[in-house]
Amino acid sequence: MVADFEVEFIERDDRNARFLVRGASPAFANGIRRAMIADVPTFSIDTVRFVENSSVMFDEMIGLRLGLVPLTTPLDDFEVGETVTLALDVEGPGTAYSGDIETSDDLVEPADDNIPIIELKEQQRIELEADAVLDTGREHAKHQGGVAVGYRHLQRVEVVGDAGEFDEGEPNILRGVIETEDGELVATDEFDHDLAERYPGKELAVHDVPGAFVFHVETDGSFSVEELVTRAAESIGARAAELETKVAV
Amino acid sequence: MSYKCSRCKRDVELDEYGGVRCPYCGHRVLLKERAPTIKEVDVE
């Protein structure tokens, strides 16, 4: 079976997107989801060399915090396993933020400047050098590029008649994206996730649309949503191609 | 081993038989200083 996918964006931001894919099987939708979480590599701090740390926290705890700072990752320029050196030198009083991290390569820098690392008091100082390495979420969760990746079935809502005269008008809560009878796609937050608000006084039938999945994808800022989805698809393609060559031998 | 006296803030070298006491002011509370080497930490 060769399916033709139809893709339609419902929301589209740099870091956050919602899009509908028609013609996918549940297995393929889940494969893409897993590839987005585990197979697309991102840079993350892996080794830290502390020159000075007179703060109130142990070196190891600061190291763990640094590991979770998202770093921009241009995947065309680096291979998995490559490293980039970063440095941090902050003296108290004040807070050391991710924006204070200096980088040796402008392509790899903290995706957000306002992540607090540690608060320093008078005469406290932190000076360190760190190596960021490119690796996948399969190796460690700090390398996950997709941080909130999931999908739901597209749900079709049909009006089947009027509600009974003595019906209570209770809320009919539904989350995700609905398809109306005239084919319009509406995110449920537009009507406060309550179908009774959009269709007052109507009796409704809701059912899943087969083969239609609404993906909600959020990245940590390492790269855009488009990059994440295309790299995930490429990784599935690459594994399928590898299987094909191994079986043929 | 190098320590720092918590009262007079002077560096103190402890010897094996002298007991725990600052030789300058006699204070018995000594603080261990962080080693001046670079410490490497693996982030796991």
Side-chain angles (χ1 to χ4, degrees), chain A residues 4-246:
Chain A
D4 270 348
F5 296 129
E6 266 179 57
V7 176
E8 207 174 319
F9 275 84
I10 295 144
E11 283 170 35
R12 193 174 200 167
D13 266 336
D14 205 30
R15 291 192 184 186
N16 198 353
R18 204 132 58 134
F19 57 93
L20 167 69
V21 181
R22 286 182 201 270
S25 65
F28 184 75
N30 195 40
I32 284 283
R33 181 189 69 85
R34 291 188 52 164
M36 280 193 262
I37 293 170
D39 292 333
V40 182
T42 70
F43 269 104
S44 176
I45 288 176
D46 192 54
T47 318
V48 187
R49 290 178 291 281
F50 284 90
V51 179
E52 188 177 337
N53 174 20
S54 46
S55 74
V56 293
M57 280 176 80
F58 293 124
D59 298 352
E60 287 79 1
M61 296 165 85
I62 293 169
L64 288 173
R65 288 185 174 191
L66 289 167
L68 293 173
V69 173
L71 302 170
T72 54
T73 304
L75 288 172
D76 293 327
D77 302 295
F78 294 93
E79 296 283 316
V80 168
E82 279 188 63
T83 59
V84 168
T85 306
L86 306 157
L88 178 68
D89 186 354
V90 181
E91 199 170 336
T95 306
Y97 286 98
S98 56
D100 298 323
I101 296 175
E102 307 278 337
T103 173
S104 63
D105 190 332
D106 288 337
L107 294 172
V108 180
E109 59 183 9
D112 295 294
D113 287 343
N114 55 358
I115 305 170
I117 293 164
I118 186 155
E119 197 182 313
L120 300 167
K121 296 292 181 202
E122 197 79 38
Q123 295 191 337
Q124 294 181 351
R125 183 161 168 268
I126 185 159
E127 184 184 347
L128 57 91
E129 204 180 274
D131 290 334
V133 65
L134 186 66
D135 216 331
T136 58
R138 198 179 290 283
E139 294 303 316
H140 195 290
K142 68 186 176 182
H143 292 290
Q144 282 184 12
V147 287
V149 183
Y151 59 85
R152 284 169 189 267
H153 267 292
L154 177 67
Q155 301 191 82
R156 191 173 172 82
V157 176
E158 282 168 2
V159 178
V160 291
D162 288 328
E165 197 179 342
F166 302 109
D167 278 1
E168 286 290 326
E170 285 172 355
N172 186 358
I173 304 297
L174 187 72
R175 284 178 199 278
V177 173
I178 61 163
E179 185 184 45
T180 59
E181 278 171 345
D182 44 6
E184 193 191 349
L185 298 175
V186 185
T188 55
D189 48 10
E190 282 182 26
F191 47 88
D192 212 13
H193 311 287
D194 185 4
L195 286 175
E197 197 159 299
R198 190 177 164 91
Y199 299 97
K202 299 285 183 197
E203 198 182 327
L204 304 169
V206 180
H207 55 86
D208 290 347
V209 180
F213 297 90
V214 181
F215 279 85
H216 184 222
V217 180
E218 196 180 317
T219 77
D220 66 352
S222 305
F223 28 60
S224 64
V225 170
E226 286 85 355
E227 178 90 14
L228 177 67
V229 178
T230 49
R231 293 282 173 174
E234 273 170 25
S235 91
I236 291 181
R239 271 178 287 161
E242 191 190 341
L243 182 66
E244 191 181 357
T245 51
K246 293 261 166 79

